[in-house]
Amino acid sequence: MALSFKFGTVGAPISNPKKPGGSIGAVHHIKALGLGALELGWVQSVRVSEETCALIKRAVKETGVLLSIHAPYYINLNADLNEWPNSRKRLMDAVYYGNLAGATEIIFHPGGYGGKTAKEVLPLAINRLADCVGEARRSKNKVTFRPETMGKSGQLGKFEDTLEMAKAIEGVVPCIDFSHIHARAGDGTMNSYAEWTQILEKYEKALGKPALENLSCHLSGIEYSPKGERNHVIMSESDFKLEELFKALHEAGCKGRILSESPNLEEDAVMYQKTWKKISGEKD
Ligand SMILES: [Zn+2]
């Protein structure tokens, strides 16, 4: 029986060998580490050729590693009229080249409130995102758009914001960053079995049971202030209660992928996988 979750890293593992190296090497190295998922971090800009994408796709097919893309950081669904075309292009470049590389999920940061409320910002954000998804579908690109749950209070991307986007647009589903949800609370809450169970119940209520069986998640240790996220740290050096989260995921019948964003990347990814086996009783 396969594990309900595939584990991996956001960005190439630190121990990625020099040859073949790069994204293609990273796909193979994830497999060699006994992991099953990789998220390529195209976080500054998308600078990849169609030829390279074809090679990444071949590596994905050969290994069975699940691939996702982290789109450039500087995307803002709430950007002003001048800036929006640039934001949109960054997202659509990730969508286009990610699809060519064999990725099924495109993760992106939805942007900022710009001093407004979520209620004021969401209609514009949803309109713009729907337009992006429409363009992808017209060119037969089926990738899932995954707005990430963000860790700071001024960022568009509270858990509920991402649910609103997903409810409004077919093909949009949240990327759940558990560490960001914990950090955004800012007071040490969102760290227990009961609290995670509530989040998963909300998710299922909004998006249905199949969505719970195809989660895309980020996870790391995290430091925070009352305003939310400060920085990512190694899981064991944080207050995050990993086993409580994993119990909630297991009890709710969740499946999908969990990607490590800890500074030690694959070391924590391997630890998550080991912990998951212990909590769930699953074997690979
Ligand atoms: Zn992110």
Side-chain angles (χ1 to χ4, degrees), residues 1-283:
M1 189 180 76
L3 301 180
S4 294
F5 281 98
K6 303 246 189 194
F7 294 86
T9 56
V10 178
I14 294 162
S15 58
N16 206 28
K18 285 232 158 49
K19 277 186 178 171
S23 302
I24 296 140
V27 172
H28 287 285
H29 192 53
I30 283 286
K31 170 107 174 162
L33 288 166
L35 297 168
L38 174 66
E39 189 161 304
L40 293 176
W42 294 347
V43 295
Q44 301 308 330
S45 63
V46 179
R47 265 177 294 174
V48 61
S49 66
E50 296 194 352
E51 292 72 26
T52 302
C53 287
L55 294 172
I56 298 170
K57 188 171 184 171
R58 194 166 79 189
V60 165
K61 276 198 173 152
E62 280 169 9
T63 55
V65 167
L66 300 180
L67 188 73
S68 49
I69 301 295
H70 198 306
Y73 290 135
Y74 202 72
I75 289 171
N76 184 1
L77 296 176
N78 184 38
D80 66 27
L81 283 176
N82 285 332
E83 180 48 33
W84 169 239
N86 297 325
S87 264
R88 189 182 192 283
K89 184 173 186 308
R90 289 184 193 103
L91 177 58
M92 295 312 286
D93 280 351
V95 164
Y96 176 75
Y97 288 98
N99 180 52
L100 288 184
T104 53
E105 319 296 312
I106 310 297
I107 286 69
F108 65 98
H109 297 178
Y113 293 130
K116 296 184 181 164
T117 64
K119 221 180 153 193
E120 288 167 326
V121 168
L122 276 169
L124 176 66
I126 287 171
N127 258 336
R128 284 173 165 176
L129 186 53
D131 172 61
C132 292
V133 177
E135 181 183 304
R137 297 302 182 257
R138 282 192 297 282
S139 53
K140 306 272 179 274
N141 183 332
K142 295 190 184 124
V143 296
T144 303
F145 286 65
R146 298 261 186 185
E148 179 177 334
T149 62
M150 301 303 298
K152 294 179 189 146
S153 54
Q155 288 172 308
L156 174 59
K158 197 172 164 45
F159 176 65
E160 288 77 9
D161 299 343
T162 65
L163 284 187
E164 287 304 314
M165 293 178 203
K167 278 199 289 188
I169 310 164
E170 174 94 40
V172 173
V173 188
C175 164
I176 308 182
D177 188 314
F178 297 111
S179 311
H180 283 168
I181 292 176
H182 171 50
R184 189 162 182 147
D187 58 0
T189 61
M190 294 316 305
N191 202 16
S192 67
Y193 172 81
E195 286 162 321
W196 292 124
T197 298
Q198 273 176 14
I199 284 278
L200 296 171
E201 280 170 359
K202 269 194 195 175
Y203 194 87
E204 182 176 358
K205 197 164 171 240
L207 306 175
K209 180 83 180 164
L212 272 190
E213 293 172 352
N214 186 21
L215 296 180
S216 250
C217 313
H218 287 168
L219 184 60
S220 72
I222 199 151
E223 289 178 342
Y224 52 88
S225 74
K227 287 182 180 163
E229 175 186 6
R230 286 178 62 187
N231 50 284
H232 290 204
V233 295
I234 292 169
M235 181 56 79
S236 63
E237 294 169 4
S238 76
D239 70 352
F240 197 97
K241 293 179 181 155
L242 184 63
E243 298 200 357
E244 300 264 317
L245 168 66
F246 279 6
K247 267 183 216 158
L249 289 170
H250 177 59
E251 286 301 316
C254 296
K255 296 177 186 171
R257 56 187 95 179
I258 296 178
L259 295 146
S260 165
E261 284 192 317
S262 297
N264 66 357
L265 290 176
E266 66 267 37
E267 218 175 293
D268 263 2
V270 167
M271 184 275 279
Y272 299 160
Q273 183 166 270
K274 213 169 136 190
T275 306
W276 176 260
K277 286 181 186 170
K278 188 182 110 186
I279 298 288
S280 68
E282 294 173 359
K283 294 184 176 68

